[in-house]
């Protein structure tokens, strides 16, 4: 929040809507300056603690002084130092040293800028995944409840966005869930595959640390292991240049882009279903759909998800190009780009997951509309069943096929040319040829007989694949989410 008197100045500057309008406070903090520079100080502390434990001349008093000032960051001083030095890491080394005069001589000892920069990025990426995963699990859980509730409700299927064989409302939802379960696995794998850059020195050779420990390779390796463990990682990359490989960023943003594709598809389906008036996203009592058309109920949440998902999908191009042009041990043309694309990817994923959770918690189904649409198309789909029933009653398959071809084209003309309802079944009832099966027509047109194993597939899928995947997150399912805007 802006301080009194500063609000007008804040409103006169561009602010990313990803933070000012949409993202959660937790994800915004994860990519904040406070988290970044506070992590730098913790990494300097871990390094000093590990160096001390391995025999370097570092005192308990110096360690205590660093511990006491981890969050005592003078951001104004740091900004002034960076303006003067044109180096963000050294600006914060000086700022930390200012409040830790006893420890000033050993802060950043043997390290390069990427010790704090890259390792902090890896911590932030890991923590970002840890924020996204429970949100994704919540979306899957809400959609699973929806799929279970509507597992048996027949609905017209679509291929090429043309009427196709029936499915059920719950089975269609399972198509969405399956994509999201793939994303859940991908995000978990990407998080668990992250390693720490560790303590590698200026070009990744650990030469400065080998000098500090007077050629003792074992101590240099142990230093790397100790700091990696203190930062909460099980492994560090065995080889690096000055930076960790920028292919790591490709892997991170690729799974987020894939999540964006899943959500775009889901929300596009919801938008199309809203147009058909079969299913709608939640619409609040005082919500306005259009400034000019008061009757409209626009699917604005799903539209927001699609809009932001497009942005998320494009961001993977940044690390692809960055990794391709990292000359030898590194070039600095990665830095400014990564400041933008890494944060924006996680912020955007965070926003669309929160929005989709809100949508999935309030989906509205209109069974009568769904049933009416089935009745408009089902007579044509039932023709094969009618033929089989006639053959069983003693009819000739070819004669029956020709009769149905003529009647179905007549009924199609009524629908397409006259704008009327599908009267195919009425024509069958009026034709004496079909009298042997007139009493069977109602059962032959039961929508549930056209959905195959859809209800059973829903039950099996939710029981065997979806619910087990959510077990690690069962304590983080939380309540319903309300959108700020």
């Amino acid at each position: 929040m802006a301080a009194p008197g500063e609000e007008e100045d804040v409103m006169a500057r561009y602010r990313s809507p990803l933070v000012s309008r949409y993202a959660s406070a937790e994800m915004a903090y994860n990519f904040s300056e406070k988290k970044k520079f506070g992590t730098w100080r913790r990494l300097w502390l871990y390094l000093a603690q590990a160096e001390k434990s391995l025999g370097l001349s570092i005192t308990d008093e110096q360690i205590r002084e660093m511990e006491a000032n981890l969050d005592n960051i003078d951001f104004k001083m740091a900004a002034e130092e960076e303006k003067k030095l044109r180096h963000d890491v050294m600006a914060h080394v000086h700022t930390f040293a200012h409040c830790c005069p006893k420890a000033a001589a050993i802060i950043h000892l043997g390290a390069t800028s990427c010790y704090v920069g890259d390792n902090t990025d890896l911590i932030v990426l890991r923590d970002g995944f840890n924020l996204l995963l429970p949100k994704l699990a919540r979306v899957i859980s809400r959609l699973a409840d929806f799929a279970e509730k509507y597992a048996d409700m027949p609905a017209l299927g679509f291929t090429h966005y043309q009427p196709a064989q029936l499915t059920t409302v719950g089975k269609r939802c399972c198509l969405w869930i399956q994509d999201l379960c793939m994303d859940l696995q991908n995000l978990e794998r990407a998080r668990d595959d992250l390693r720490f850059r560790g303590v590698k020195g200026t070009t990744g050779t650990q030469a400065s640390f080998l000098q500090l420990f007077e050629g003792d390779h074992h101590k240099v390796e142990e230093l790397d292991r100790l700091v990696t463990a203190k930062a909460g990682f099980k492994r560090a990359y065995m080889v690096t240049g000055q930076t960790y490989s920028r292919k790591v960023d490709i892997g991170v943003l690729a799974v987020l882009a894939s999540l964006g594709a899943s959500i775009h598809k889901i929300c596009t389906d919801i938008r199309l279903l809203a147009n058909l008036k079969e299913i709608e996203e939640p619409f609040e009592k005082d919500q306005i759909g259009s400034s000019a058309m008061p009757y409209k109920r626009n699917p604005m949440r799903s539209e927001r998800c699609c809009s932001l998902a497009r942005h998320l999908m494009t961001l993977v191009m940044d690390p692809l190009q960055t990794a391709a042009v990292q000359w030898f041990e590194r070039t600095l043309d990665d830095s400014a780009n990564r400041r933008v694309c890494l944060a924006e990817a996680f912020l955007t994923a965070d926003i669309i997951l929160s929005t989709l959770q809100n949508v999935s918690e309030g989906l509205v189904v209109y069974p009568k509309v769904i049933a009416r649409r089935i009745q408009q198309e089902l007579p044509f789909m039932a023709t094969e069943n009618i033929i089989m029933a006639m053959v069983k009653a003693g009819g000739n398959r070819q004669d029956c096929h020709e009769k149905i071809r003529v009647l179905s084209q007549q009924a199609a003309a009524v629908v397409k040319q006259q704008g009327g309802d599908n009267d195919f079944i009425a024509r069958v009832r009026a034709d004496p040829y079909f009298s042997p099966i007139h009493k069977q027509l109602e059962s032959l047109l039961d929508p549930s007989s056209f959905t195959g194993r859809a209800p059973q597939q829903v039950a099996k899928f939710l029981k065997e694949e979806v619910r087990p995947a959510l077990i690690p997150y069962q304590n983080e399912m939380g309540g319903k989410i309300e959108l700020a805007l």
Side-chain angles (χ1 to χ4, degrees), residues 71-89:
D71 298 308
N72 178 28
I73 304 174
D74 187 337
F75 289 101
K76 183 178 180 181
M77 178 182 178
E80 291 171 349
E81 288 287 336
E82 183 173 357
K83 187 176 181 180
K84 179 174 63 177
L85 301 173
R86 296 293 180 185
H87 198 289
D88 56 350
V89 173

Side-chain angles (χ1 to χ4, degrees), residues 53-306:
S53 72
L54 292 170
L56 293 190
S57 182
I58 296 173
T59 67
D60 290 337
E61 187 177 23
Q62 288 173 315
I63 296 295
R64 287 195 297 269
E65 188 179 53
M66 293 173 73
E67 290 173 333
N69 287 281
L70 292 176
D71 298 308
N72 178 28
I73 304 174
D74 187 337
F75 289 101
K76 183 178 180 181
M77 178 182 178
E80 291 171 349
E81 288 287 336
E82 183 173 357
K83 187 176 181 180
K84 179 174 63 177
L85 301 173
R86 296 293 180 185
H87 198 289
D88 56 350
V89 173
M90 287 309 300
H92 278 269
V93 168
H94 289 187
T95 304
F96 195 18
H98 181 75
C99 57
C100 298
K102 295 183 177 66
I106 54 92
I107 292 173
H108 198 66
L109 183 60
T112 187
S113 297
C114 286
Y115 166 69
V116 288
D118 272 31
N119 282 325
T120 292
D121 286 343
L122 290 161
I123 289 170
V124 168
L125 295 178
R126 178 196 64 193
D127 293 352
F129 278 128
N130 285 335
L131 289 172
L132 292 180
L133 281 163
K135 293 191 172 193
L136 177 52
R138 283 195 290 272
V139 170
I140 294 171
S141 175
R142 304 307 190 264
L143 289 176
D145 292 342
F146 180 86
E148 189 171 48
K149 181 177 180 180
Y150 294 101
D152 300 328
M153 181 178 286
L156 187 64
F158 289 96
T159 58
H160 314 277
Y161 200 37
Q162 301 300 314
Q165 192 175 69
L166 268 58
T167 182
T168 69
V169 173
K171 170 62 190 302
R172 175 177 283 146
C173 183
C174 284
L175 299 178
W176 304 340
I177 295 170
Q178 182 167 252
D179 286 353
L180 293 176
C181 283
M182 293 181 190
D183 293 316
L184 188 74
Q185 293 175 340
N186 289 340
L187 264 65
E188 288 173 338
R189 183 176 63 251
R191 177 199 60 190
D192 296 343
D193 283 350
L194 285 175
R195 301 189 193 185
F196 203 51
R197 178 190 176 272
V199 184
K200 298 296 196 298
T202 304
T203 58
T205 65
Q206 298 177 303
S208 57
F209 297 105
L210 192 62
Q211 183 177 1
L212 277 174
F213 289 105
E214 299 178 346
D216 191 326
H217 290 269
H218 172 73
K219 284 189 176 182
V220 174
E221 289 184 357
E222 184 65 6
L223 178 69
D224 203 0
R225 188 194 67 78
L226 286 173
V227 175
T228 297
K230 286 177 181 291
F233 286 81
K234 294 180 181 179
R235 298 180 299 169
Y237 296 107
M238 292 186 69
V239 294
T240 72
Q242 189 170 92
T243 68
Y244 67 78
S245 171
R246 294 310 184 215
K247 284 185 71 68
V248 174
D249 295 343
I250 296 173
V252 169
L253 265 65
V255 298
L256 297 181
S258 183
L259 172 65
S262 299
I263 293 178
H264 198 293
K265 184 265 193 291
I266 292 167
C267 290
T268 299
D269 283 356
I270 292 172
R271 292 164 66 189
L272 293 170
L273 290 168
N275 173 260
L276 297 174
K277 298 180 173 59
E278 291 190 9
I279 292 178
E280 286 182 345
E281 65 177 38
F283 196 89
E284 296 168 16
K285 179 183 176 183
D286 297 323
Q287 183 174 330
I288 295 174
S290 167
S291 62
M293 296 168 279
Y295 61 87
K296 293 195 76 178
R297 292 168 65 95
N298 298 334
M300 54 80 69
R301 292 169 174 83
S302 298
E303 290 174 321
R304 176 184 297 174
C305 284
C306 289

